[in-house]
Every structure is written in structure tokens, then in C-alpha cells.
Amino acid sequence: MIQIADYYSPIVGEFEQLVLLALLRLGNGAYGASILRELRERTGREIAIGALYMTLGRLEAKKMICSYTGEPTPQRGGRRRKHYLMDTAGQQALGRAYRTLRSMSEGFEQQLARM
Amino acid sequence: MIQIADYYSPIVGEFEQLVLLALLRLGNGAYGASILRELRERTGREIAIGALYMTLGRLEAKKMICSYTGEPTPQRGGRRRKHYLMDTAGQQALGRAYRTLRSMSEGFEQQLARM
DNA sequence: CTGATATACTTAACAATGTGATACAAATTG
DNA sequence: CAATTTGTATCACATTGTTAAGTATATCAG
């Protein structure tokens, strides 16, 4: 059981942002493996699967995302998928983080892209 | 004395990114109060001064930024300023973080700006 | 020189987030 | 049901974020 402070913290961490962005990109249907693939392909980082589930669990505990369990798919085997969707709080937090970085980067985009 | 692991960690946290961006914007001459002002004005957040110095100290320990002590200014009083500059590692880390977020946001910029 | 005032930096303690290694759960197949 | 496949969960610890103090250094009035 993940414990979360009872005051609302609108700030999301660096990796949390990446996970929320992956959910935004993938839309409904996203689950562990597809999120992992998206993150690896787009960031080029070697991301541990445990790190991802840990972060998904924390984001859900903070009500930034929600989840539902998928139906078992015939011809496949294996445990059911757990699908994730961004909740309102997650969208707001992601939007804030995005605008903050935009504001701090404003006018330096070219330079940053070449650093 | 800040302790840092002896392996190189290229990933910077959420607030560290903001501080590096402030240094990029301000250029040479940046110091505590000017960095704080820039962050507050551009992000709209209430940032504690201690949080900033803590982060500056950690970034310096990781060799991402360097510092020098300024000369005392006549007609002013008060302790000397400590000026900060991004080092090569900081520029690289900031560039990587920027490109990662760009890649994850690609195609969703309008939506993110309105979230 | 000395205390008052202004300016600026530092640290301790704890909370939140990030990470790798390992364990656990559930569905299909034979 | 055992083996295999697919997928999720958790522990332990490292790193980063935050608040609430405290410490240091420069100028000025007297």
C-alpha cells in the first residue's frame, strides 16, 4: 500500500512527467509494456520495468491517473493487463509542468536543442 | 559537505532543470537572489531560498555548475555574492533533458499548452 | 573599535521521487 | 496440474525536493 500525504502536491517529478506524457501519447489502452516501449523508443533510456510500475502506482495514489483491468485475450496466455488513463489532476499537473518549462526555455530553444 | 556517488548520473531532477535553465537565461553574474527572482517570475511558484541553495550545492558537487565569489560592492553592505556558471556537464545534461521532453511532447504541443 | 543593519549563503532533518533486484499473480497449453 | 508465457507488485536504498532554522560577511553610525 502506497502512502500519500493528505495535502495536495501539484508538482510532478522528472520521470513522472515522462510517464504522464507517454499516457497522453498512447491514449486509452496503454499498459505496462506499451508504456515502457514508448518511453524507451522516445527517450533512448534503459528504463527498468519496476521503476515504471512504482511510478504508475504513485501517480494513481495521487489521483493523477486511474486504471482498470482488461479482459483476458484468447490465444495469448499471461496475466491480464492493467490499463491506465490520465485523470483530471494528472492533466492539470502535466500542463503546468509543460508551461513552466516552456516559460523557462523561451528564447533559448535553438541553443537548448544543440546543447 | 555534500556527498555524491562516484558514478556519473546524467539525469537531472525537475527542479534542477529549472535552476539550470535560470542559469542559462541569466548568463554570467547570476547569484542567489537573481536566480530566485528569475525562477519566481517565470514559474509563478513560491520557491524557498534554501531549496535553491541546496540544489545549487548539489549541482556543483556533480560538476554541472561552477562558482566564484564576487568582490564586495561599495555602498551596499552584506556578504559577498557567489556567482554561478553552467559547466560542460550541466549543459549536456540540460540539453538531454530538453530533447527528451521535446521528443515525448512532439505532436501534442497545442494540447499540452491548454491543459 | 563596536554594535546595528543589510545582504547573502549554509545546514539539518525530513519528505518525495527514482531505481534495480526480486518476488508474485494469472492466463494458456499440453 | 505442471510448464510456459505474460504481466504486475514490492522491497530497499539512492537521489532529489522542501522547510525551517542558523551562520557569515560587508557597510555604517557613533
Side-chain angles (χ1 to χ4, degrees):
Chain A
M1 179 56 180
I2 293 173
Q3 297 292 336
I4 293 296
D6 56 339
Y7 58 82
Y8 176 53
S9 168
I11 296 178
V12 287
E14 190 265 345
F15 187 57
E16 289 182 330
Q17 277 182 43
L18 298 182
V19 172
L20 288 176
L21 283 168
L23 290 184
L24 175 65
R25 301 192 74 81
L26 295 169
N28 198 346
Y31 75 104
S34 68
I35 299 170
L36 190 68
R37 190 179 333 116
E38 183 78 6
L39 286 170
R40 282 183 171 153
E41 285 177 0
R42 294 227 159 232
T43 71
R45 288 195 206 163
E46 275 313 310
I47 291 162
I49 184 70
L52 174 58
Y53 282 116
M54 203 65 234
T55 297
L56 286 169
R58 285 168 180 165
L59 286 172
E60 189 167 18
K62 287 191 288 187
K63 313 281 191 193
M64 293 206 175
I65 65 179
C66 51
S67 68
Y68 63 93
T69 302
E71 289 306 309
T73 316
Q75 323 294 11
R76 202 174 49 85
R79 185 175 178 172
R80 293 193 198 175
R81 295 172 176 170
K82 188 168 173 184
H83 297 289
Y84 293 94
L85 285 172
M86 258 200 284
D87 205 334
T88 311
Q91 294 178 355
Q92 290 178 355
L94 183 56
R96 245 189 315 269
Y98 181 78
R99 289 189 299 275
T100 295
L101 283 167
R102 285 289 256 182
S103 172
M104 287 300 303
S105 308
E106 191 184 355
F108 293 81
E109 292 88 354
Q110 307 306 317
Q111 201 172 333
L112 283 163
R114 283 165 180 67
M115 273 182 167
Chain B
M1 180 54 181
I2 293 173
Q3 298 291 336
I4 293 296
D6 57 339
Y7 58 84
Y8 176 50
S9 168
I11 296 179
V12 287
E14 190 264 346
F15 186 56
E16 289 182 330
Q17 278 183 41
L18 298 182
V19 172
L20 288 176
L21 283 168
L23 290 183
L24 175 65
R25 301 192 73 82
L26 294 169
N28 197 345
Y31 77 105
S34 69
I35 299 170
L36 190 68
R37 192 178 330 115
E38 184 77 6
L39 286 170
R40 283 183 171 156
E41 285 177 0
R42 293 226 158 232
T43 70
R45 286 196 208 163
E46 275 312 311
I47 291 161
I49 184 71
L52 173 58
Y53 282 117
M54 206 60 237
T55 297
L56 286 168
R58 284 168 179 163
L59 287 172
E60 189 167 19
K62 287 192 288 186
K63 312 281 190 192
M64 293 208 175
I65 64 179
C66 52
S67 68
Y68 63 92
T69 302
E71 290 306 310
T73 316
Q75 322 296 10
R76 201 175 50 85
R79 184 175 178 172
R80 294 192 198 177
R81 294 172 176 170
K82 190 168 172 184
H83 297 288
Y84 293 94
L85 285 172
M86 257 200 285
D87 205 335
T88 311
Q91 293 178 355
Q92 290 179 354
L94 182 57
R96 245 190 315 269
Y98 182 77
R99 289 189 299 275
T100 295
L101 282 167
R102 285 288 257 183
S103 172
M104 288 299 303
S105 309
E106 191 184 356
F108 292 80
E109 292 86 356
Q110 306 305 317
Q111 201 172 333
L112 283 163
R114 282 164 180 66
M115 274 182 168

